[in-house]
Structure formats: C-alpha cells, structure tokens
Amino acid sequence: MVDQDGVRVATDQRSVVDVLFDDQWTWSFNAERDTRLENGHRLAPWPVNLRPFLRGTGAVTVRERFGEKVLFSGDVRFDDTDHRVRIVDGKGRPLIVDKGGDMQCGFSHRGEATRETLLDAIEDVLARLRDEGCVDAFLAFGALLGAVRDGHFIPHDSDADVAYLSRHTSPADVARESFALERVMIRAGYWTWRFSAADFKVIVPDPEGGRAIDVFAGFVVDGTFYLMPEVHAKDFDRSVILPLGEVELEGRRIVAPADPEALLAITYGPHWRIPDPSFKFETPPWVRRRLDGWTRGNVLNRNHWWPFYFGRAQSTVSEQPSAFAEWVHAREPDGRALVDIGSGTGRDSLWFARQGRNVLGLDYIPAATERAGKTARAEDLPAEFRTFNLYDLRQVLAAGGELAHRAEPPTLYARFLVHALEDAGRHALWRLASMCLRRGGRFYLEFRTDENAAAAKVYGEHFRKYLPGDQVAAEIESWGGAVEHREEGYGYAVYKDEDPHVCRLVATWKR
C-alpha cells in the first residue's frame, strides 16, 4: 500500500524494497531497518527531500530488489492538484534519493562530458594530495566500489570519493594534516566545504552544474584503522592499502589501494559485491563516540540543516523579509553595511541589499549560500554570501579579524540563530561580535526563549536550545558587551499558526 505518508509493507517483509515512479527507480529502503510498525504494517515514511515532489497523482511501483516480486503497482493520489508527479530536476533529468537523503541526478543520467570532467578532477586531486600534500591518496568508497565491480561509476551514485592513509597516529595531528590538504586544494583554485576536522569536500565545476569529490582521512590509532566518516577495522594491516596500486574506472587507470577488495570488505562488509542502494553504515557506538570527539565537534546538527536547505527550505520559507529585518532597517542608519550571521535562504540579507545596504551573508550550509548568492548576482545586488561555521574556531577568528579591519564597523544581525546553536557555537558568536564591534556598530539578535519550549512548531522538532533573555544578556556582558535595548513577548514572529515567544536584543561593545 502506498499513500501520502509513505510505503506500507507486510510486517514479515525483511528485504530491500525499491520504489519507482513512472518505472524510473527513485528510492530504496530496508524493510526491517527503515520502517516502523503502524496499524498492522511496516511504514517506510517518504524521505523529507522527496516529499516536495509528491504533488498530484503518480504512477508508483514497489518491488523487492532481490527477486521479481511486485508489492504494489498503480496510480497514487498525493493531494488534490491535477498534475502528474514528476521526480525530475530543472533540466528534466530523473532524480533519486541518494545515500545522504538528498535528491540527486545519478551518473546514469549525466552526460559523458560531466563524467570526463570528474575523472580529470579525480586524477588532479589525487596527484596534488600526493605531490603537494605528501600523503598516500587513493580512490575510495562508491567510486572504488564501481571500479572494482564493473569498471564504471555506480549508476545511482552522484559524486566521487578519495581517501588517504595518514602517517600520523594522533587525531590532533590527523586534523592538522587535513586542514593543510584543504589549503592545497584551495590554492589550486577549488572551492571546498569541510565536513569535520578529518574530511572535506572539493567542488568540481562541470557542464551540468558541478560534482563533488570527498576527501577522507584514514588513520591508525592503537592498532585500529579508522576511515572517515564511519569505517573502522581492528588489528589493521597496512598492506591492505600500501603500496598503492591501480584500478580501471571509465577506461582510465586510477590510483587505488594495494588490495581494493579487502578495503571494500572492511568498508561495506562481506556482501559488498551485491548492489544495494539502501546500504547504511552500522557504526558501533564506541567508534562514533571516538570519531565525534576526535574530529566532528565542528559539525554539530549538520544532519538537520544540510537536507533542509537542499530540500524543502526553498518551497516553505517565505521570500518576504521578516518583521525583525524591517525593525532593524528602521533603526540603523541608511547605508550602514550589515553582516547576517545564519542567513539561511537569504530572505533578509537579499531584502537588506535591495534597500541599498552592502550585505555579507554567512551560513553553515553551502546549498543556502549558493542559492542566495545566485539570486544576488542575478539581481546585481550588493550582497555576498559565504559558508561559515561557528563551531570552527579558525573560521571565527579569521572572520572576526577581517570584519574588525573594515573602514567602518558593520551592523551584525542574527535572527533565530541563538536558539539553534550549541553552547560552543553561541560562545563563538559572542567572540566574533567582541572582535569586530570594538570600534562601534551594533549587534541585533532575535531568538526563541525558554517560554517557547513546549509549543508546537511549524517545522517540527529538531535541535533548539531555549534560553531566557536574562542568560543571553549576561553572556553578552561577560564578553564585554552591553545590552542597550531589550524587548520580548509574543506577536513578533508570527508564522502560519505559530506565534513563538521571542526576545529582541541590541548590543554594543566598549571601545
């Protein structure tokens, strides 16, 4: 049975299940792992980023992946609109739900020029890691899997992965090395985005909009091999990787581990030869705790915001300015440059720029800054957008230094950011303000308070840390700031049926 909520299968279903729209494969799930019991069935909810496409009526087929059994086939009406469901991108190419839950166009529907551009970049990145970064780098994960299976990219994959075996055995040194390797890529002209202290993404422009190459650190601590982001192997023998060899991928010889089949077994388990789009890493808690503590302290809550800005944010977040933006604009001198920290979709940043302000928008997720930047360029607005991570002290200090040396101090703006931050990120926010507002300028903040904790939210439950206004004001003062204006209550940020209790603060810093 298929309905607006998801796909329902029998309670004794245990296999991998494929879901197709118009006979085009779109999504797979493990009936035992990815479902919940509900009304005598197992329900696999629709992935969050697939839901915006489910409008109107669609031809759906549900079948077992390993076998010929069809579990459902027919039209499904998802809402009252008249059009047919089409799971395609702006160019009409079929989209799939990838391993991260994002909607992607897989290699099977990308042109040869895109594949050749990516292969060129893979060879270039591996060579630079070797020659300039002095690490033993090789093809890894899905790209290696496809090469060993049949010499091609996996049809439902959408990016490429490389890894390297670090000579360091201290996680701190591994992190330092990874940052140095990222600088190698930046000097080469690549745009990068960091996942953690030990893995980052390299963006490769191509004729169809760009692909990514993920660069993962592998390292050995106390005899256990760790390969970011989820893999481990005890009593590891380095001969699995060294000396490096080669595999053939799309007709090219690419650097690979010495024993690629052994590394694939470590990575995906003994059944790695069997294609399974529903595969997920089952990482032991102790491994996850170690890798979180060693390398992932700077990517808190990314698993919520990454798919949100790749998916439903564009269709659900208003393009109109917030009431807070209009309030701030009325209070600030015309022409004063503004820095929007946590700019999200850019709705407020773009509006400020349309009013004639020079704007810098900073946000955690590349999809958010890329789209906002594209709009700014299309409208020729005085706005720039950058990816920025408050959990990365290096970025905080660099941004603070840059802003502190502007000819005129900017206005800082943070709407609905404070309650979205863990303690470390919030304290980094105060550090940033302290650095760049010592010569003047104001910091405007609006955030949900602790009185809002129990209320229902339009966007559902995810991480929010509700703090009383008194605590936020005290923290600002402890960092050398002074609160010159404060008001709070209801009616400030009404959205649909939600009227959250919010606090507005205006802070300055002593010279």
Side-chain angles (χ1 to χ4, degrees), residues 298-313:
N298 63 346
V299 291
L300 299 172
N301 306 314
R302 178 175 63 87
N303 288 341
H304 169 76
W305 294 112
W306 183 276
F308 179 77
Y309 283 114
F310 267 99
R312 59 185 178 136

Side-chain angles (χ1 to χ4, degrees), residues 170-230:
S170 163
D173 290 332
V174 171
R176 291 176 61 246
E177 179 181 58
S178 179
F179 280 104
L181 296 175
E182 185 182 20
R183 290 194 292 273
V184 168
M185 296 302 131
I186 293 172
R187 287 196 297 269
Y190 290 108
W191 185 85
T192 65
W193 192 82
R194 182 159 286 279
F195 285 115
S196 76
D199 55 332
F200 61 92
K201 184 182 289 291
V202 174
I203 305 301
V204 180
D206 66 33
E208 296 179 296
R211 292 292 87 204
I213 300 174
D214 296 334
V215 181
F216 297 104
F219 53 97
V220 180
V221 177
D222 295 333
T224 298
F225 171 65
Y226 300 93
L227 178 59
M228 299 297 296
E230 304 287 350

Side-chain angles (χ1 to χ4, degrees), residues 195-197 291-300 364 389 391-392 424:
F195 285 115
S196 76
L291 294 179
D292 285 349
W294 287 342
T295 70
R296 289 197 279 249
N298 63 346
V299 291
L300 299 172
Y364 193 30
N389 185 356
Y391 299 113
D392 187 340

Side-chain angles (χ1 to χ4, degrees), residues 34-60:
D34 302 325
T35 60
R36 64 174 184 262
L37 290 173
E38 185 175 289
N39 298 326
H41 293 86
R42 287 185 174 272
L43 172 66
W46 294 115
V48 170
N49 293 324
L50 178 58
R51 286 181 177 273
F53 293 90
L54 303 182
R55 299 290 182 266
T57 303
V60 183

Side-chain angles (χ1 to χ4, degrees), residues 326-349:
E326 295 175 327
W327 184 79
V328 170
H329 181 64
R331 295 176 64 94
E332 277 297 283
D334 290 342
R336 175 68 68 94
L338 182 140
V339 179
D340 184 357
I341 309 170
S343 53
T345 61
R347 56 182 288 206
D348 285 351
S349 295

Side-chain angles (χ1 to χ4, degrees), residues 427-439:
H427 294 156
L429 182 64
W430 310 144
R431 181 189 294 275
L432 179 69
S434 176
M435 291 180 68
C436 62
L437 296 181
R438 292 287 181 176
R439 294 184 296 116

Side-chain angles (χ1 to χ4, degrees), residues 430-431 433-435 437-438 472-483 507-511:
W430 310 144
R431 181 189 294 275
S434 176
M435 291 180 68
L437 296 181
R438 292 287 181 176
V472 174
E475 288 184 3
I476 289 173
E477 291 168 357
S478 73
W479 281 87
V483 175
T508 57
W509 261 257
K510 300 175 183 177
R511 294 181 180 274

Side-chain angles (χ1 to χ4, degrees), residues 125-138 163-168 174 177-178 180-181 184-185 215-218 242 244 255:
V125 167
L126 287 171
R128 292 181 185 278
L129 292 172
R130 178 195 64 212
D131 298 336
E132 300 175 49
C134 301
V135 295
D136 296 307
F138 51 88
Y164 60 91
L165 183 59
S166 176
R167 295 176 175 84
H168 297 292
V174 171
E177 179 181 58
S178 179
L181 296 175
V184 168
M185 296 302 131
V215 181
F216 297 104
L242 302 176
L244 295 175
V255 180

